[in-house]
Amino acid sequence: MTGVTGAAVPAWADDDQATTTVTLGESARIDPKAGGRVRVDVAYVCTNAEDARSLTVSVEQKNPEDATATAFGSSRTAETDIVCDGTPQTREVIVQSKTYNWLPDLDAILTATISDIGAAPPAAADAKRITLVAAE
């Protein structure tokens, strides 16, 4: 049996191209002046500055004392504020709850997604269960 010849190698398969990644920090802090805001640390790397990109962070927290009360919010960073030059970047993202104030010392589900169209892979995500803490 002979190998396939003439098969095109996708552009994203280039070994020299950096990988698009996103990582959530280990803590999320409730803003002491506005209980509906939580501050989330995010680290990311993206490479393709000429193409479309976005960074979105969402937080969801259920109230264990009220099954109908769920705090939820998401924040999308403007494309122009995302540095895509292949170097590690960190930023603090503020997520505003659209429903209820965040509750300290209770778990929340955090999700971060970065898209970097034209890179390999074109998107990455991270999700964690983190206990929200009251910032001082």
Side-chain angles (χ1 to χ4, degrees):
M1 180 175 210
T2 61
V4 177
T5 60
V9 176
W12 53 264
D14 183 359
D15 289 337
D16 294 333
Q17 189 174 24
T19 302
T20 298
T21 64
V22 65
T23 306
L24 287 160
E26 295 301 318
S27 68
R29 299 156 317 279
I30 299 170
D31 189 318
K33 295 180 183 176
R37 285 193 271 182
V38 68
R39 297 172 185 275
V40 179
D41 294 323
V42 179
Y44 69 91
V45 174
C46 60
T47 59
N48 199 352
E50 285 91 40
D51 244 323
R53 57 198 176 274
S54 70
L55 172 64
T56 303
V57 176
S58 65
V59 180
E60 180 178 343
Q61 182 188 52
K62 294 183 180 185
N63 184 337
E65 296 177 12
D66 182 355
T68 63
T70 299
F72 176 80
S74 66
S75 178
R76 182 180 178 279
T77 302
E79 183 174 340
T80 56
D81 291 340
I82 301 170
V83 177
C84 275
D85 62 3
T87 61
Q89 303 292 319
T90 58
R91 72 179 317 127
E92 181 182 73
V93 176
I94 297 174
V95 178
Q96 175 72 45
S97 174
K98 311 253 188 285
T99 53
Y100 299 93
N101 280 350
W102 305 110
L103 301 172
D105 304 321
L106 291 176
D107 285 352
I109 302 297
L110 281 66
T111 306
T113 306
I114 189 159
S115 63
D116 184 12
I117 304 304
D126 189 21
K128 290 183 179 176
R129 181 182 308 271
I130 293 178
T131 300
L132 299 184
V133 296
E136 297 176 16

